[in-house]
Amino acid sequence: MNLKEDGGKVRRRGAALEQAILDAAWEVLAEQGYPGFTYEAVAARAGTSRPVLYRRWPQHEDLLLATVRRFRRSQPIEVPDTGSLREDAIGFLRNADVGRARMLTLLSVQITDYFREIGMSLGELRDTLRPGDQPPPFDTILARAVERGELAGPPRSPRVVSLPFDLYRHEVFMSMKPVPDQVIREIVDELWLPLLGVR
């Protein structure tokens, strides 16, 4: 519930306040990187005080993870269901290019010091942020293909299943920009589908 403060200003509470703080925190992180990601900077950008932040996120790491998690959840990647394994895979990588390229670039450049400081790898961060009730997207894409009879269903290595997104992420990290559509198609057509035994 929002309450009026003196002077007619709106006092934000609960979810509204938390959302405003995390939005401000993402802006600070994107602009200043991990070295500038301080309680003081976030509080100033959000128009609140440091004690308000400390009560919600007692550790600096807590605030950083909450910030990245909020941005990630606000930019969901749609998993297409086109009726074609190839089109689903290409469509998902295209959607990722629209929704995640900027985030992946930021994570690789702006918070390298964070990984160094706490000894967490990017893979461990991904596992921390991934919702526990959602299967990885390419698991879903393959399961649908098996249900349609488009693909046989023997067990596959998790490394093979996740290969398209792993290669996509590598391209983003190496180029620091969105991945060209030609490269997305090459990842699927020349590498992944042959590994799955699909022509």
Side-chain angles (χ1 to χ4, degrees):
M1 179 176 66
N2 291 331
L3 299 177
K4 292 289 185 179
E5 294 180 343
D6 293 340
K9 293 182 180 179
V10 175
R11 179 184 300 165
R12 298 162 300 180
R13 291 185 178 276
L17 174 59
E18 185 167 309
Q19 178 177 324
I21 292 171
L22 293 178
D23 287 346
W26 178 260
E27 293 172 3
V28 171
L29 183 61
E31 293 172 10
Q32 303 180 33
Y34 183 67
F37 187 77
T38 64
Y39 283 101
E40 292 81 0
V42 173
R45 181 66 63 94
T48 188
S49 65
R50 286 182 298 169
V52 171
L53 272 64
Y54 286 127
R55 283 197 296 271
R56 287 169 169 77
W57 303 283
Q59 303 296 323
H60 191 237
E61 176 185 342
D62 299 332
L63 177 58
L64 180 62
L65 289 176
T67 299
V68 177
R69 185 178 291 111
R70 155 118 176 106
F71 183 83
R72 188 179 189 274
R73 290 178 178 174
S74 72
Q75 304 278 328
I77 305 175
E78 179 186 356
V79 180
D81 190 3
T82 66
S84 162
L85 173 62
R86 177 182 185 272
E87 295 304 320
D88 285 356
I90 290 175
F92 177 80
L93 294 181
R94 286 172 175 162
N95 292 343
D97 215 39
V98 173
R100 285 286 163 81
R102 179 168 176 260
M103 179 180 179
L104 290 171
T105 301
L106 175 67
L107 291 178
S108 65
V109 175
Q110 297 286 54
I111 59 176
T112 300
D113 291 340
Y114 165 73
F115 294 132
R116 186 181 300 118
E117 181 178 301
I118 70 167
M120 177 183 283
S121 69
L122 185 59
E124 290 168 331
L125 175 64
R126 175 200 60 204
D127 293 341
T128 299
L129 298 175
R130 177 181 289 159
D133 58 344
Q134 294 181 10
F138 277 93
D139 285 34
T140 299
I141 289 172
L142 280 180
R144 289 173 178 169
V146 171
E147 289 176 4
R148 291 192 300 263
E150 187 179 2
L151 190 67
R156 293 177 176 85
S157 163
R159 197 173 295 277
V160 170
V161 174
S162 66
L163 181 67
F165 195 73
D166 291 342
L167 292 176
Y168 162 80
R169 184 169 47 228
H170 173 76
E171 289 288 335
V172 173
F173 287 162
M174 294 302 292
S175 67
M176 297 300 169
K177 57 187 178 183
V179 178
D181 199 64
Q182 176 185 347
V183 174
I184 288 176
R185 286 185 274 109
E186 288 174 353
I187 288 172
V188 174
D189 291 339
E190 298 181 18
L191 298 171
W192 193 54
L193 292 180
L195 278 175
L196 296 175
V198 177
R199 294 182 179 180

